[in-house]
Amino acid sequence: MKVGVVGLGRMGGAFARNLLRRGYELYVYDIVKSKVEDFIKLGAKGVSSPAEMASIVDVLLTNVPKSEDMLSVYLDENGILRAP
């Protein structure tokens, strides 16, 4: 199963680490590129946008701190709801 995590802060990062430990094929995205790079080193695959992730994964978890950030993740030009 392909799982995606958008937002790799305290909570999203913990979810992502646990998913990797359990052997899931993990895709990650965060606006802080160094967080994505850290997870790539652990075996995750990085994506360029939430829309790209939504077009790849079976399950998508979002973990962002503010409601306006959540709206952006879902509704912006490269947001989840814009996935082909």
Side-chain angles (χ1 to χ4, degrees), residues 7-10 13 17 28-42 44:
L8 298 170
R10 185 172 293 182
R17 280 187 292 284
V28 294
Y29 175 81
D30 196 284
I31 59 171
V32 179
K33 302 305 177 202
S34 62
K35 290 182 180 184
V36 173
E37 292 167 8
D38 290 344
F39 276 93
I40 290 172
K41 290 175 187 174
L42 297 174

